[in-house]
Amino acid sequence: MPTTTAATSAAAPPAPDSQERITAEITAAHAATAPGAAQPRIDFPPYRSSALRHPTKDPRHADPEGIELVAPVFGHSDIDPVEADLTIQHGGEPIGERMLLTGRVLDGDGRPVRHQLVEIWQANAGGRYIHKRDQHPAPIDPNFTGVGRCLTDGDGTYRFTTIKPGPYPWRNHVNAWRPAHIHFSLFGTEFTQRLITQMYFPGDPLFALDPIYQSITDRPARERLVASYDHDLTTHEWATGYRWDIVLTGTHATPLERAEHE
Amino acid sequence: MSETLAPTPGQTIGPFFHDALPYPGDSLLVPPGSAGAVRLHGTVYDGSGAPVPDALVELRQADPAGRVPRVEGSLRRDGRFTGWGRAATDAAGRYAFTTVTPGGADGGAAFFAVTVFARGLLDRLFTRAYLPGESDAFLAGLPADDAATLRVLRDTRPGAGTGAGPGDLRFDIHLQGERETVFLRYPRHAFPRCGR
Ligand SMILES: [Fe+2]
């Protein structure tokens, strides 16, 4: 809102932008980007925090070698099976909609990523993180930390039991709300396949308004971040079920090299 | 296998990863003070030169003989050298690892493979931190200023307030700006592989 009062200090932060303005910038950025981009635009002005944190030069092509051809290895000595159930980490039941979440981790050639680490973190049912810097005035749930880990099985499948997270407000612009999401951290068989992303829920009315989700300018690519409700996974009188498959980028190792390492 | 599947896009790590990804011993690839232990440290900067206090740096490396570890146990190390670690930046944008000096794997130059995440950064970035004196065709092919962004420096005197000492390895990361770090794209990151 423009103001002419003398009390306005030159150092006062600029008035936050409206949703209309952010939405117009999203539309413009989409129009300026070639269709089919599989990854987010790291230079995406509607996400204000990105302005000074994205490289301006194109990444340099490098042929992976040595250490880059091998992901870190994780195993049963790294985690406890109970870490896959986010609802049993405390003395009582967390508040909210209990849900089962499963899917497969595949590489770019459709091969399952076996026995590899999957890490997740999320807000509670009220949209509040346990994180000390989360200022959203929604209650912390003493029975929910919102952190989970598991290993994929021999088929590349991961499984978590958790609580459906709530949407939460943030300070990107006036009335900015993140669509409900779960953060995922994934490894492949190569260092080059490392991925951190966010999984969303089908039909969220906040999708069109969210500059982080919309930083992926290609609609089919965006929709690859949305889980599907799976009634066969839903459990009678216990939990709803969601399914989300993850595809990492392709590997560079030759079939012979892979055979030697398996 | 002929079909290439469309990859799942990345998203920012956001501001709230600290309760999930860091863990005790995450940045200690070897115990501090053990034989051959070296400190690799640096600061992550944004395009204005300000430190980035909510970044996460991951490290992947060979052992001193250039062997590539395929060893589990990074989350509960128990004395194993896994060649992998992670370090969140502190309030001053600094990260630090205690590790060993890698040898060149497969006869190549010796470098640390590095991944960077941050709030405000919409996808992960890959780079290489080459040990002092190391070079290869990739590094030699870069303009000198760009190549300099990939070179690890050896501290010669204590760093004020950083806890760094002589002999430590320093690798600063500039997400943007005049000294912007060279980041990498590997061949299979391109999708679709051909033009549409
Ligand atoms: Fe989040």
Side-chain angles (χ1 to χ4, degrees):
Chain A
M1 189 185 301
T3 174
T4 54
T5 58
T8 302
S9 153
D17 296 301
S18 65
Q19 180 69 58
E20 288 67 28
R21 175 162 181 175
I22 294 295
T23 299
E25 289 185 25
I26 289 172
T27 304
H30 285 192
T33 309
Q39 297 295 341
R41 262 186 68 156
I42 57 173
D43 171 9
F44 198 69
Y47 176 31
R48 297 300 191 225
S49 311
S50 72
L52 292 168
R53 292 185 170 197
H54 67 84
T56 57
K57 296 173 188 160
D58 286 337
R60 282 275 178 166
H61 172 94
D63 288 317
E65 57 177 85
I67 195 72
E68 293 165 323
L69 292 170
V70 183
V73 173
F74 298 92
H76 293 289
S77 67
D78 284 297
I79 60 173
D80 189 314
V82 304
E83 293 183 78
D85 189 339
L86 288 73
T87 68
I88 58 168
Q89 297 174 354
H90 299 273
E93 289 273 350
I95 300 286
E97 178 183 334
R98 189 183 299 111
M99 57 175 274
L100 308 174
L101 175 56
T102 187
R104 293 178 78 207
V105 184
L106 304 172
D107 74 12
D109 298 307
R111 286 184 295 261
V113 177
R114 302 182 173 98
H115 313 301
Q116 187 52 296
L117 178 66
V118 179
E119 298 164 285
I120 64 171
W121 68 102
Q122 61 167 100
N124 68 23
R128 178 79 187 259
Y129 286 88
I130 202 85
H131 196 277
K132 63 180 191 288
R133 283 185 48 213
D134 187 357
Q135 301 295 312
H136 178 35
I140 284 176
D141 184 339
N143 291 315
F144 192 72
T145 303
V147 172
R149 289 194 191 102
C150 76
L151 292 178
T152 58
D153 67 12
D155 193 35
T157 299
Y158 69 86
R159 287 182 187 81
F160 289 105
T161 302
T162 186
I163 294 292
K164 196 174 183 184
Y168 60 84
W170 60 311
R171 292 181 176 162
N172 190 70
H173 56 280
V174 174
N175 210 12
W177 287 77
R178 295 296 329 282
H181 59 272
I182 297 178
H183 296 266
F184 268 73
S185 162
L186 300 140
F187 297 83
T189 55
E190 282 186 13
F191 169 80
T192 64
Q193 294 174 285
R194 186 78 174 95
L195 176 68
I196 285 184
T197 190
Q198 303 180 23
M199 184 216 85
Y200 299 90
F201 292 87
D204 197 312
L206 294 166
F207 282 157
L209 308 173
D210 178 45
I212 292 179
Y213 180 70
Q214 295 291 338
S215 70
I216 303 156
T217 56
D218 184 60
R219 176 195 286 269
R222 282 199 296 279
E223 290 175 350
R224 291 199 285 275
L225 293 183
V226 182
S228 49
Y229 172 72
D230 184 340
H231 199 61
D232 291 332
L233 192 61
T234 292
T235 311
H236 182 64
E237 294 186 355
W238 182 248
T240 55
Y242 287 86
R243 189 172 292 277
W244 186 53
D245 292 336
I246 298 148
V247 179
L248 305 178
T249 55
T251 62
H252 302 81
T254 63
L256 180 63
E257 286 170 320
R258 275 196 302 273
E260 283 171 353
H261 297 154
E262 272 175 6
Chain B
M1 213 142 332
S2 56
E3 190 193 11
T4 299
L5 300 180
T8 304
Q11 291 268 265
T12 180
I13 195 172
F16 299 135
F17 61 85
H18 296 88
D19 300 295
L21 299 183
Y23 58 91
D26 55 1
S27 64
L28 306 178
L29 283 77
V30 298
S34 57
V38 64
R39 196 163 170 276
L40 170 71
H41 70 107
T43 301
V44 181
Y45 295 100
D46 74 10
S48 74
V52 176
D54 39 19
L56 184 77
V57 179
E58 289 183 351
L59 192 70
R60 181 79 177 119
Q61 66 165 100
D63 72 9
R67 286 180 301 248
V68 176
R70 295 182 174 85
V71 177
E72 70 179 67
S74 291
L75 297 182
R76 293 176 187 170
R77 294 192 186 274
D78 199 20
R80 294 168 286 196
F81 180 72
T82 64
W84 185 83
R86 63 167 50 132
T89 56
D90 66 14
R94 295 185 306 234
Y95 73 89
F97 292 94
T98 299
T99 186
V100 289
T101 306
D106 297 343
F111 60 79
F112 299 98
V114 175
T115 319
V116 187
F117 309 89
R119 178 181 70 84
L121 178 60
L122 279 157
D123 202 5
R124 80 280 179 276
L125 299 171
F126 294 105
T127 190
R128 292 177 180 175
Y130 285 84
L131 286 180
E134 293 287 316
S135 192
D136 58 14
F138 175 78
L139 197 62
L142 297 176
D145 286 353
D146 286 349
T149 71
L150 302 186
R151 290 213 170 92
V152 171
L153 306 175
R154 198 174 291 279
D155 292 330
T156 54
R157 53 199 160 84
T162 66
D168 285 357
L169 300 176
R170 183 176 182 90
F171 184 70
D172 290 337
I173 297 166
H174 295 264
L175 298 178
Q176 193 186 88
E178 224 165 81
R179 288 188 284 167
E180 186 173 302
T181 300
V182 170
F183 296 102
L184 308 182
R185 175 171 48 218
Y186 301 108
R188 302 272 329 258
H189 287 176
F191 184 92
R193 294 160 97 178
C194 313
R196 295 162 68 93

